[in-house]
Amino acid sequence: METQAPSPKTYGFISWLSLIIGVTSFFLVFVTPTRVANTGSTIGDSITLSLMVIGSIISIVGLLKKTEKKTLSVIGLFLSLSFIFYWILIIVLLVTGQTPFAP
């Protein structure tokens, strides 16, 4: 009777894809020269929202796979959710008075 050694966990295509989508989403939300979210553009907001959803789904799939290492998928998940983190940050700054509410 032969025993099979478990295959070593590696970073696969899904892990790298979730990281790339997460970094792209982060740059589109927080970095000023590439910011397309919350600038008054419906297309920019749609792109950012769709990248957030796609990146989150791919990251969760990467986390659920048994043959994938989890580190890149976790980082990709947090970076993909940067649009939500941005709005949480804005609300906290408004409530604490650090950002003016009206002009």
Side-chain angles (χ1 to χ4, degrees):
M1 202 186 287
E2 294 180 24
T3 60
Q4 294 180 352
S7 62
K9 291 185 176 187
T10 59
Y11 294 119
F13 178 72
I14 293 177
S15 296
W16 287 106
L17 185 63
S18 68
L19 182 67
I20 290 169
I21 291 175
V23 168
T24 304
S25 178
F26 179 81
F27 274 98
L28 291 178
V29 172
F30 285 111
V31 179
T32 304
T34 60
R35 179 180 289 171
V36 296
N38 304 318
T39 58
S41 170
T42 306
I43 295 172
D45 290 341
S46 300
I47 290 171
T48 307
L49 189 62
S50 63
L51 275 177
M52 182 188 72
V53 170
I54 292 169
S56 299
I57 290 171
I58 291 175
S59 296
I60 290 171
V61 168
L63 287 172
L64 295 177
K65 284 190 73 167
K66 303 249 188 252
T67 59
E68 297 271 336
K69 286 185 178 179
K70 309 294 187 228
T71 309
L72 291 181
S73 295
V74 170
I75 294 170
L77 181 63
F78 283 126
L79 290 175
S80 293
L81 295 174
S82 60
F83 192 59
I84 293 174
F85 294 147
Y86 175 79
W87 279 106
I88 291 171
L89 179 68
I90 291 297
I91 291 170
V92 167
L93 289 175
L94 284 172
V95 169
T96 59
Q98 299 295 321
T99 302
F101 181 69

